[in-house]
C-alpha cells in the first residue's frame, strides 16, 4: 500500500486537520495507522472518562494539544453534585511523567486544582495556551504559577470559571521578560487585581490581540490600556462607569478611536448607559458583540448601539432588548449568523421582555441565521413555522420557554407542530433544545427528520416511552442525549442497548427509569459505564430494583469503571 | 457552579397577578391523562407540579435534596410567590447577569465602634463570607454553625452571624441556600453569642451539602 516514504505521507497527513478525518486515516492500514499515530498532535476527548491518560499517551506519543471535557452538560444547571468527578490532575501527572511536549490545553467542566496548574506550569517548557471553560477548583494561586512558570505563554483564557480569588498578585507573576501574550481573558475573576502590573503587562505585549478584563478594572485604566494596545482585535471591558462629561471620558473616546482593529466587544459588567456613545466608532466593524452581562443597559441604549453594528455576525444580548429591539437587530444586522438572548430575570417569567414576535422578526430580517439560543416568555406554533420557513440553515436551535410546559398561548396546543417544522426545514440541524408543552408527536418528527442531529436536550416533555424510542431509532447521528423530568422508562432505555455504543453519553434524571433496568443495561453492555447519582441517604443496598433512580448518566468507555467516583455515585 | 444543590429561590412576583391564571398545571385544560399509578398527570410522574411548590394551599413543600424548604406560611406572606425547580431555567451564570450586579451590605459587630461593608457577590459560599468577615474583624471569633468548627479563639468572645432579610426579620446566617441568602440579605450583624440565647441552636443545623 505504501508507494511513498513515510515522510511524504506524514506531510500529506499534515493537511488533514479534522479529528474525524484523521481517525479515518488511521483505519486504512497498519502503516498509515503508525504514521498517523506518531504525527498526531491535536487530540479531542469529549468525555474524560472514556479513556485513561495512560492509554492516550501510548496511542499518541506526539501529543501537543489536548481538549478534555468532564462533567455532563446539565452540571451547568446544578444537576450534578460537586465532587462528581472530572479531575484534571491525573492527566497532568501522566503527561508530565511521560515527557509529553504539551503546548495547548483546553478544558471544559473539569475540576482543576491549584496543584494541577502548578504541575502543568513546571512540566511543559513549551506550554503556550491554556483555555478553561466552566471549570472550578482552582484559585488565583494556580494562575500565579502559570503566569510565573510558563515562559512562552501566549493564551490564558478563563471563560466563566468559578475561581476562588485570593486577591494575590497573580498578574504580577508574569516575568518582566514575558512578552509573548496574545490572549488574556480574566473577566470571570471576582477579585481585585494589580492595575499597575496589568498596565505594564499589556505595554510589553506587542502581540496582544484579545484582552478581556474583570469588573475590578476601572474606566480610567481601560483608557490607559487601550492607549498601549491599539492593535486589539477583541476587547472585554471591565467596569464601564464614569461621568460622561469628564476629561477621563474624553480620553477614553480618543483611545477607542485609535483602536480600529476591534472586531469583538464584550464585558460592560458594570455600565453607565450614558457612556456607551464612546464605543459607537467601533461598532461599524464589529462582528461579535456580547452584552449579555450588561444588566445596566435598557432597550433604548441597546438598540441605539446596535443600529451602528451593520456587520455583526454574532450577538449575545439580554432579553430586556425586547421584541422591538430585536426588530432593530433584524433591520440592521443583515450578516447575523448567531443570536443568543439571555433572560435578565429568569425567575420572573411574567416580566420577560421577548416573545415569539422578536424571533420571527429576526428570522425574517437575517437570512444567514444558523445558531440560536433564545429564552422567552412564550412561543407559538405559527411563529416557529414562520421561522422554519425563513431560516433553513439552522445548525443549533435552542429554545427555552421560561415556563417549561407552556402550550401555544394562542391555540392552547402543544408545540409539536412548531418544532416539527423546524426539524423538517433545517436539514443540517445538529443541536436542538426543546421546551414548552410537548407530546410524543414532537419526538416522532425529530426521529423522522432530524437526520443530522448530534445533540438533543429534553425537559418536561413527552407522554410515554414511544417518545424516547422515536429519537433513539431515528436519529442516526445522535451523540449526546440529555433528558430531565420526562415519562421515559425502562422499556425505552433497554430497547436498543447497542445504540449507546454509538453515542458519547446519555443523561436521564427524574424520569421513570428503575434501578433494575440500569443494572440490566450495565450487565449487558460492558463497554458502557452506567452511573447512578444518588444524593439521598439511601445506600445501594437499600434501594430496590423496582425503585426509580433520580439521576442516571451513562457513557461509552474503553477503560471500564473509573476509580475516582465519590460515594454518592454508584457504578453499576 | 459551586453553589449547593437543590437551591430554590422564592420569587416575589410583581403582584397583582391573578394567581389562578399563572398556576402551572400539567395538562391541557379539560384533559386528564392517567398514568399507571392512577395519578392524573400529563408528563412525568415526578412532574413539574411535584417538584415545584406552587399553590398557596398546597402543602407539598419538599424539595428533592431535603434542603431548605419553602414554607407555605412563608409563601403566603408574599402573595404570588413562585418556587423554582432545580436547574430551571437552564441558564448558567444567571446570578452574574442580574440587574443588581454588586451587593454591598453593611456589617455591624456588637461592640465595634464602626461598621464595614462587604460585597456579597464576591463570595460563592458561606464559608468564604465568614472567613472574610473573620479577616475583617480579626480580633473576634465568629461561631461557624455550618461546620460546627470553632474558628481560632483570640479573646474568647464568640459571635453569631445574623442578617436582616427583605422582610425586616433577623435571621441566622446559614439556613438557606447561598444564592437565596444573597438575594434577601439587607445587612449583617455579628451578634454576641451570649445575647443570642434562644436564637442560636445548641446543635448546628443539618446541611446535606457543605457550603
Amino acid at each position: 500500500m505504501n508507494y511513498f516514504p513515510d515522510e511524504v505521507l506524514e506531510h500529506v497527513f499534515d493537511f488533514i486537520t479534522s479529528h474525524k478525518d484523521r481517525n479515518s486515516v488511521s483505519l486504512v492500514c497498519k502503516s498509515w495507522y503508525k504514521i498517523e499515530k506518531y504525527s498526531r498532535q491535536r487530540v479531542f476527548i469529549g468525555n474524560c472518562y472514556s479513556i485513561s491518560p495512560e492509554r492516550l499517551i501510548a496511542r499518541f506519543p506526539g501529543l501537543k494539544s489536548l481538549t478534555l471535557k468532564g462533567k455532563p452538560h446539565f452540571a451547568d444547571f446544578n444537576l450534578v453534585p460537586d465532587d462528581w468527578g472530572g479531575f484534571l490532575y491525573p492527566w497532568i501527572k501522566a503527561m508530565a511523567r511521560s515527557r509529553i511536549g504539551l503546548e495547548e490545553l483546553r478544558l471544559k467542566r473539569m475540576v482543576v486544582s491549584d496543584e494541577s496548574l502548578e504541575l502543568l506550569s513546571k512540566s511543559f517548557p513549551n506550554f503556550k495556551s491554556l483555555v478553561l471553560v466552566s471549570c472550578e477548583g482552582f484559585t488565583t494561586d494556580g494562575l500565579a504559577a502559570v503566569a510565573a512558570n510558563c515562559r512562552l505563554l501566549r493564551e490564558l483564557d478563563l471563560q466563566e470559571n468559578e475561581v476562588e480569588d485570593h486577591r494575590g498578585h497573580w498578574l504580577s507573576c508574569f516575568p518582566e521578560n514575558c512578552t509573548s501574550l496574545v490572549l488574556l481573558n480574566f473577566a470571570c475573576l471576582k477579585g481585585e487585581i494589580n492595575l499597575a502590573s496589568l498596565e505594564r503587562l499589556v505595554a510589553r505585549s506587542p502581540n496582544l490581540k484579545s484582552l478581556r478584563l474583570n469588573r475590578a478594572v476601572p474606566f480610567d485604566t481601560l483608557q490607559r490600556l487601550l492607549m498601549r494596545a491599539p492593535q486589539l482585535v477583541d476587547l472585554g471591558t471591565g467596569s464601564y462607569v464614569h461621568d460622561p462629561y469628564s476629561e477621563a471620558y474624553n480620553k477614553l473616546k480618543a483611545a477607542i478611536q485609535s483602536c480600529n482593529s476591534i472586531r469583538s466587544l464584550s464585558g460592560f459588567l458594570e455600565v453607565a448607559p450614558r457612556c456607551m456613545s464612546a464605543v459607537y466608532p467601533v461598532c461599524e466593524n464589529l462582528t461579535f458583540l456580547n452584552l449579555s452581562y450588561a444588566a445596566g443597559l435598557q432597550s433604548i441604549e441597546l438598540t441605539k448601539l446596535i443600529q451602528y453594528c451593520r456587520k455583526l455576525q454574532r450577538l449575545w444580548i439580554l432579553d430586556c432588548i425586547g421584541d422591538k429591539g430585536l426588530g432593530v437587530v433584524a433591520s440592521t444586522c443583515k450578516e447575523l449568523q448567531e443570536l443568543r438572548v439571555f433572560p435578565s430575570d429568569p425567575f420572573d417569567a411574567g416580566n420577560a421582555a421577548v416573545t415569539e414576535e422578536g424571533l420571527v422578526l429576526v428570522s425574517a430580517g437575517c437570512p444567514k441565521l444558523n445558531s440560536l439560543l433564545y429564552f422567552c416568555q412564550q412561543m407559538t406554533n405559527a411563529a416557529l413555522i414562520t421561522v422554519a420557513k425563513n431560516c433553513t440553515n439552522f445548525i443549533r436551535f435552542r429554545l427555552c420557554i421560561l415556563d417549561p410546559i407552556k402550550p401555544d398561548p394562542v391555540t392552547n396546543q402543544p408545540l409539536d407542530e412548531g418544532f416539527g417544522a423546524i426539524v423538517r426545514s433545517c436539514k443540517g440541524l445538529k443541536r436542538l433544545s426543546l421546551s414548552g408543552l410537548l407530546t410524543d408527536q414532537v419526538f416522532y418528527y425529530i426521529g423522522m427528520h432530524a437526520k443530522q442531529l448530534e445533540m438533543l436536550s429534553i425537559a418536561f416533555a413527552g407522554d410515554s416511552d414511544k417518545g424516547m424510542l422515536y429519537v433513539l431509532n431515528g436519529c442516526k447521528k445522535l451523540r449526546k442525549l440529555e433528558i430531565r423530568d420526562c415519562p421515559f422508562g425502562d422499556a425505552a432505555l433497554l430497547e436498543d442497548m447497542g445504540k449507546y455504543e454509538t453515542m458519547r453519553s446519555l443523561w436521564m434524571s427524574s424520569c421513570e427509569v428503575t434501578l433494575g433496568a440500569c443494572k440490566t443495561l450495565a450487565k449487558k453492555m460492558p463497554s458502557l459505564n452506567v452511573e447512578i447519582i444518588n444524593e439521598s441517604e439511601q445506600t445501594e443496598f437499600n434501594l430496590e430494583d423496582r425503585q426509580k433512580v433520580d439521576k442516571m448518566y451513562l457513557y461509552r468507555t474503553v477503560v471500564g469503571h473509573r476509580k475516582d467516583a465519590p460515594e454518592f455515585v454508584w457504578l453499576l | 457552579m459551586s453553589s449547593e444543590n437543590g437551591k430554590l429561590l422564592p420569587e416575589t412576583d410583581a403582584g397583582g397577578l391573578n394567581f389562578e391564571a399563572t398556576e402551572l398545571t400539567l395538562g391541557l385544560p379539560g384533559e386528564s391523562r392517567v398514568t399507571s399509578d392512577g395519578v392524573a398527570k400529563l408528563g412525568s410522574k415526578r412532574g413539574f407540579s411535584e417538584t415545584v411548590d406552587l399553590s398557596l394551599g398546597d402543602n407539598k413543600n419538599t424539595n428533592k435534596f431535603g434542603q431548605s424548604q419553602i414554607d407555605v406560611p412563608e409563601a403566603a406572606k408574599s402573595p404570588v410567590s413562585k418556587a423554582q425547580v432545580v436547574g430551571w431555567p437552564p441558564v448558567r451564570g444567571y446570578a452574574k447577569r442580574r440587574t443588581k450586579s454588586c451587593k454591598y451590605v453593611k456589617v455591624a459587630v456588637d461592640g465595634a465602634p464602626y461598621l464595614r461593608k462587604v460585597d456579597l457577590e464576591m463570595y460563592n459560599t458561606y464559608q468564604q463570607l465568614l472567613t472574610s468577615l473573620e479577616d475583617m474583624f480579626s480580633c473576634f471569633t465568629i461561631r461557624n454553625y455550618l461546620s460546627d468548627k470553632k474558628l481560632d479563639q483570640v479573646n474568647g468572645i464568640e459571635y453569631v452571624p445574623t442578617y436582616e432579610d427583605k422582610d425586616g426579620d433577623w435571621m441566622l446566617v446559614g439556613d438557606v441556600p447561598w444564592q437565596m441568602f444573597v438575594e434577601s440579605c439587607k445587612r449583617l450583624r455579628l451578634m454576641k453569642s451570649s445575647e443570642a440565647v434562644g436564637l442560636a441552636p445548641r446543635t448546628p443545623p443539618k446541611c446535606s451539602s457543605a457550603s
Side-chain angles (χ1 to χ4, degrees), chain A residues 311-377:
Chain A
K311 293 195 188 148
L312 212 55
Q313 294 173 13
R314 298 165 62 213
L315 175 62
W316 295 16
I317 200 136
L318 288 172
D319 64 359
C320 44
I321 190 175
D323 288 329
K324 283 219 186 69
L326 287 177
V328 173
V329 172
S331 51
T332 313
C333 309
K334 296 303 183 186
E335 301 296 313
L336 196 68
Q337 296 175 26
E338 175 179 323
L339 175 66
R340 297 195 188 191
V341 179
F342 293 94
S344 43
D345 199 348
F347 301 111
D348 193 358
N351 256 356
V354 299
T355 69
E356 75 277 10
E357 287 178 23
L359 182 59
V360 170
L361 288 171
V362 174
S363 73
C366 307
K368 295 188 183 177
L369 196 62
N370 63 37
S371 174
L372 180 75
L373 172 61
Y374 196 74
F375 286 83
C376 59
Q377 190 189 356

Side-chain angles (χ1 to χ4, degrees), chain A residues 77-78 160 162 167 190 215 292 295 345-347 375 402-403 405 437 460 484-485 510-512 535, chain B residues 5 7 24 26 28 45-46 48 64-65 84-90 92 97-98 101 121-122 124:
Chain A
F77 318 127
N78 299 328
E160 309 226 347
E162 290 295 328
R167 283 181 205 82
K190 296 198 174 87
R215 200 191 288 169
S292 65
D345 199 348
F347 301 111
F375 286 83
L402 290 171
D403 175 348
I405 50 170
L437 186 67
F460 303 103
R484 63 164 294 181
D485 294 275
S510 303
C511 296
E512 306 283 301
E535 290 161 291
Chain B
N5 309 308
K7 66 176 189 231
L24 283 174
L26 291 175
L28 305 175
K45 177 168 192 256
R46 272 169 295 181
F48 203 59
K64 286 175 205 231
F65 306 105
Q84 276 80 40
V85 180
V86 177
W88 193 270
R92 188 184 161 76
R97 293 187 166 105
R98 303 292 289 269
S101 55
E121 295 283 349
M122 293 286 294
N124 289 323

Side-chain angles (χ1 to χ4, degrees), chain A residues 204-428:
Chain A
R204 64 176 187 274
S205 304
N207 298 321
L208 193 68
K209 291 284 188 301
S210 169
L211 179 64
R212 295 194 185 183
L213 311 168
N214 77 346
R215 200 191 288 169
V217 180
F219 198 86
D220 41 355
T221 307
L222 173 64
Q223 178 263 322
R224 285 196 291 276
L225 292 171
L226 291 178
M227 292 301 291
R228 299 212 188 262
Q231 77 284 3
L232 281 180
V233 171
D234 167 34
L235 172 67
T237 69
S239 169
Y240 195 77
V241 177
H242 216 280
D243 173 4
Y245 300 107
S246 63
E247 185 55 33
Y249 183 73
N250 292 333
K251 274 187 175 172
L252 180 79
K253 262 178 115 163
I256 290 184
Q257 268 167 348
S258 64
C259 298
N260 40 29
S261 300
I262 293 183
R263 298 289 173 269
S264 161
L265 187 60
S266 62
F268 303 99
L269 308 168
E270 276 172 4
V271 56
R274 288 178 305 161
C275 294
M276 290 309 285
S277 55
V279 304
Y280 292 167
V282 164
C283 289
E284 71 175 295
N285 286 321
L286 279 184
T287 56
F288 177 42
L289 177 61
N290 181 357
L291 294 174
S292 65
Y293 285 98
L297 295 177
Q298 301 302 317
S299 180
I300 295 182
E301 290 110 21
L302 293 171
T303 45
K304 236 201 246 173
L305 187 73
I306 284 169
Q307 275 169 335
Y308 292 99
C309 303
R310 305 202 153 268
K311 293 195 188 148
L312 212 55
Q313 294 173 13
R314 298 165 62 213
L315 175 62
W316 295 16
I317 200 136
L318 288 172
D319 64 359
C320 44
I321 190 175
D323 288 329
K324 283 219 186 69
L326 287 177
V328 173
V329 172
S331 51
T332 313
C333 309
K334 296 303 183 186
E335 301 296 313
L336 196 68
Q337 296 175 26
E338 175 179 323
L339 175 66
R340 297 195 188 191
V341 179
F342 293 94
S344 43
D345 199 348
F347 301 111
D348 193 358
N351 256 356
V354 299
T355 69
E356 75 277 10
E357 287 178 23
L359 182 59
V360 170
L361 288 171
V362 174
S363 73
C366 307
K368 295 188 183 177
L369 196 62
N370 63 37
S371 174
L372 180 75
L373 172 61
Y374 196 74
F375 286 83
C376 59
Q377 190 189 356
Q378 62 181 46
M379 186 52 58
T380 65
N381 282 312
L384 284 174
I385 291 168
T386 307
V387 168
K389 224 181 284 167
N390 293 339
C391 294
T392 57
N393 295 324
F394 276 115
I395 300 173
R396 272 170 245 110
F397 192 90
R398 299 158 67 188
L399 184 69
C400 179
I401 302 167
L402 290 171
D403 175 348
I405 50 170
K406 190 173 173 134
D408 180 329
V410 173
T411 63
N412 242 350
Q413 294 298 303
L415 291 175
D416 303 334
E417 296 308 310
F419 280 105
I422 295 285
V423 294
R424 219 175 284 122
S425 151
C426 304
K427 310 226 184 292

